Amino acid sequence: QVHLVESGGGLVQPGGSLRLSCAASRSSFSIYAMGWYRQAPGKERELVATTTSGGKTNYADSVKGRFTISRDNAKNTVYLQMNSLKPEDTAVYYCTAQIMVYGMPYWGKGTLVTVSS
């Protein structure tokens, strides 16, 4: 069981930056993978970025070069640094954690990111 709490969402202008944080109630050493998904109005939830306990990362093509996923094991926290934000990045961003390779995923409640002038 993992409890996830996201923070850092808000309103930002195009070209701006935000950093999202996700704190886990469990040691990161016991979590196989953590990541971020997002869901825009009227669209399905999509993968943004993931990172495994071994340090492997994966990004959606739409965010490569702009977003960076990282984690602080001492704080059991994963981050998503978002730069050069675009209006199409507007969505609710959800943190996810997976204890085992094919284990049940856990989800945070989401944090809203709005990119608008």
Side-chain angles (χ1 to χ4, degrees), residues 21 26 66 71 74 109:
S21 299
R26 181 183 182 130
R66 299 189 297 121
R71 63 180 172 186
K109 294 183 179 180

Side-chain angles (χ1 to χ4, degrees), residues 27-97:
S27 172
S28 61
F29 293 105
S30 65
I31 300 176
Y32 169 71
M34 295 184 70
W36 296 90
Y37 283 68
R38 68 185 181 186
Q39 186 167 22
K43 302 183 70 175
E44 295 184 357
R45 188 175 299 185
E46 64 177 352
L47 180 145
V48 177
T50 60
T51 182
T52 69
S53 60
K56 297 179 180 179
T57 58
N58 183 43
Y59 295 92
D61 288 340
S62 60
V63 307
K64 286 182 178 178
R66 299 189 297 121
F67 292 9
T68 302
I69 188 170
S70 62
R71 63 180 172 186
D72 185 336
N73 291 328
K75 297 181 178 180
N76 301 328
T77 301
V78 64
Y79 304 94
L80 184 68
Q81 179 65 47
M82 305 185 294
N83 299 325
S84 302
L85 284 163
K86 305 175 181 179
E88 49 263 45
D89 293 319
T90 296
V92 176
Y93 284 71
Y94 297 91
C95 180
T96 185

Side-chain angles (χ1 to χ4, degrees), residues 7-27:
S7 62
L11 175 64
V12 65
Q13 294 185 336
S17 299
L18 283 175
R19 189 179 75 159
L20 305 183
S21 299
C22 175
S25 62
R26 181 183 182 130
S27 172

